[in-house]
Amino acid sequence: MKFRLFLLLLITMFPALNAATLRCVQCNKVIRGRYFTSGGKAYCSETCIEKTWPKCSLCGKHFRNGVQLSDDPGKVFCSDCAAKPQCFSCRLPADCEKLDDGRTLCRECYQRAVFKYEEALEIFNEVRSRLKQELELGTEHRIHFQLVSLPELERRSRETGSGAGIELGLFYHNFTEVTRTTESVLPWHKPKTEVIRTNERFAIYVLYGMPREKLIEICAHELAHDWMQAKYPAIINLKIKEGWAEYVASKANRLFGNESLNRRIELNPDPIYGNGYREIVKYVTDHGKSGLYDYFASLNQNHSAAGQRVK
Ligand SMILES: [Zn+2]
Ligand SMILES: [Zn+2]
Ligand SMILES: [Zn+2]
Ligand SMILES: [Zn+2]
């Protein structure tokens, strides 16, 4: 999303009437002769006015017309820098490295990117155990963990047909339902039928090449889906599911000392992910964590009672 910042500057030149006492508000030099005004203030030169303009977050140059590419209003770019490729992880324009699957990563993110499966698995296991121990969010599921490319993640997301959009990871849960009929030994009793689940499989897929701290956030998000699946499997409301996953991701960012990543989560304009997150936060503020779990339980019951497919 692009926002254009237009800075309305009125630059006029006036002959200095009271030259002896007039000083440039930027450099404090005494102004003699002609000077410039902007916003009712006096400047000795155009260079001094330019210094009051916003600074490009990438090249550091001051500009009049800039672009805000991310949700962070503190990150603005001159038009030259805004035209550079965008980093897949931090979403900011930069001189990027290109990955095998076509994604681009800025050098800063690339330096901390995780490509090795063993390293990623270690991070996944650490996130899982800390969520369990410190936030009491854990399951006993045997989760298959895998690093994948972007096309593969997109293909798997489409196949699963779950979620509100393409994420940087995917939680996958599948099973086969079998109807079992048990004949009673007593001929006047009706045969008993029950639906049982077999072949239950859990998997979490995440993109390779994500910076370590981003990988932590993605793992936490997907593990939150796993927890909800175990505790409240009948909840189908995407805003609740994704809002909860983003909420847990923000908790993990705090646990691991990566709180700066929460800016994206908090300011996310997305109606499912962003609004969902903010609704969960508000619910916890108003009713506490146990209140939130009661709410989940009621949603779970309503959805089950409505006969919706348990998935
Ligand atoms: Zn000046
Ligand atoms: Zn720039
Ligand atoms: Zn980056
Ligand atoms: Zn999700």
Side-chain angles (χ1 to χ4, degrees):
M1 201 187 304
K2 291 188 178 186
F3 302 92
R4 293 222 165 248
L5 297 177
F6 291 108
L7 295 171
L8 200 65
L9 276 175
L10 285 170
I11 304 170
T12 34
M13 289 176 76
F14 291 106
L17 298 173
N18 194 0
T21 53
L22 193 60
R23 286 175 184 272
C24 170
V25 294
Q26 183 63 28
C27 70
N28 206 31
K29 238 179 12 202
V30 173
I31 297 170
R32 300 186 196 285
R34 287 177 174 278
Y35 65 97
F36 297 79
T37 65
S38 170
K41 289 170 180 164
Y43 297 86
C44 71
S45 62
E46 263 182 285
T47 318
C48 272
I49 289 180
E50 278 172 25
K51 281 181 187 159
T52 65
W53 296 351
K55 213 171 164 183
C56 172
S57 299
L58 188 58
C59 71
K61 270 194 289 207
H62 293 275
F63 58 78
R64 278 182 76 180
N65 295 325
V67 183
Q68 184 188 325
L69 288 167
S70 71
D71 301 323
D72 188 345
K75 297 270 184 191
V76 282
F77 301 90
C78 71
S79 44
D80 287 346
C81 288
K84 290 189 178 196
Q86 226 170 308
C87 171
F88 192 83
S89 177
C90 67
R91 308 245 160 230
L92 298 176
D95 297 314
C96 286
E97 301 279 349
K98 204 161 181 179
L99 305 188
D100 291 350
D101 60 1
R103 277 179 290 150
T104 45
L105 272 192
C106 74
R107 298 213 175 116
E108 217 179 293
C109 287
Y110 189 81
Q111 271 179 2
R112 298 187 312 283
V114 179
F115 291 94
K116 283 203 189 97
Y117 175 72
E118 294 72 27
E119 196 186 341
L121 182 65
E122 208 173 291
I123 292 170
F124 172 76
N125 287 335
E126 193 189 343
V127 174
R128 195 174 186 191
S129 95
R130 287 190 72 176
L131 287 186
K132 197 174 210 167
Q133 279 162 21
E134 294 168 59
L135 301 177
E136 292 167 28
L137 298 171
T139 69
E140 297 304 320
H141 297 154
R142 270 176 66 118
I143 302 174
H144 169 70
F145 176 75
Q146 201 177 320
L147 281 183
V148 291
S149 66
L150 181 62
E152 192 176 348
L153 184 72
E154 287 173 338
R155 181 179 60 77
R156 287 185 184 276
S157 300
R158 272 195 307 273
E159 280 172 7
T160 318
S162 63
I166 296 288
E167 298 177 2
L168 306 181
L170 173 72
F171 170 68
Y172 170 88
H173 172 226
N174 202 357
F175 54 85
T176 315
E177 272 181 350
V178 190
T179 312
R180 198 165 55 184
T181 311
T182 326
E183 296 285 346
S184 174
V185 281
L186 305 168
W188 56 89
H189 277 184
K190 275 187 185 166
K192 216 173 88 187
T193 53
E194 55 175 348
V195 180
I196 53 159
R197 282 183 185 185
T198 61
N199 231 349
E200 203 164 14
R201 288 187 303 273
F202 299 91
I204 284 178
Y205 303 97
V206 296
L207 288 171
Y208 66 76
M210 300 314 284
R212 191 188 163 83
E213 66 278 10
K214 189 73 191 167
L215 188 60
I216 291 169
E217 184 191 294
I218 304 166
C219 288
H221 177 108
E222 303 308 334
L223 283 165
H225 284 315
D226 173 58
W227 179 87
M228 185 164 261
Q229 171 58 49
K231 301 278 178 189
Y232 310 103
I235 293 181
I236 50 164
N237 185 328
L238 277 180
K239 210 160 139 191
I240 298 288
K241 286 168 84 163
E242 298 304 344
W244 166 249
E246 287 292 80
Y247 177 76
V248 174
S250 77
K251 290 272 178 199
N253 285 338
R254 216 161 295 153
L255 275 185
F256 283 82
N258 304 325
E259 219 165 341
S260 62
L261 289 183
N262 287 347
R263 234 182 133 72
R264 179 202 64 82
I265 297 176
E266 287 158 10
L267 300 175
N268 190 348
D270 188 277
I272 302 283
Y273 290 81
N275 291 355
Y277 165 78
R278 288 182 285 274
E279 274 177 30
I280 298 284
V281 170
K282 189 176 180 323
Y283 210 92
V284 175
T285 311
D286 294 347
H287 309 279
K289 202 170 80 176
S290 61
L292 179 71
Y293 291 172
D294 289 345
Y295 177 51
F296 284 167
S298 71
L299 288 175
N300 194 56
Q301 220 164 29
N302 291 346
H303 290 153
S304 299
Q308 254 125 3
R309 190 177 142 69
V310 177
K311 174 99 210 294

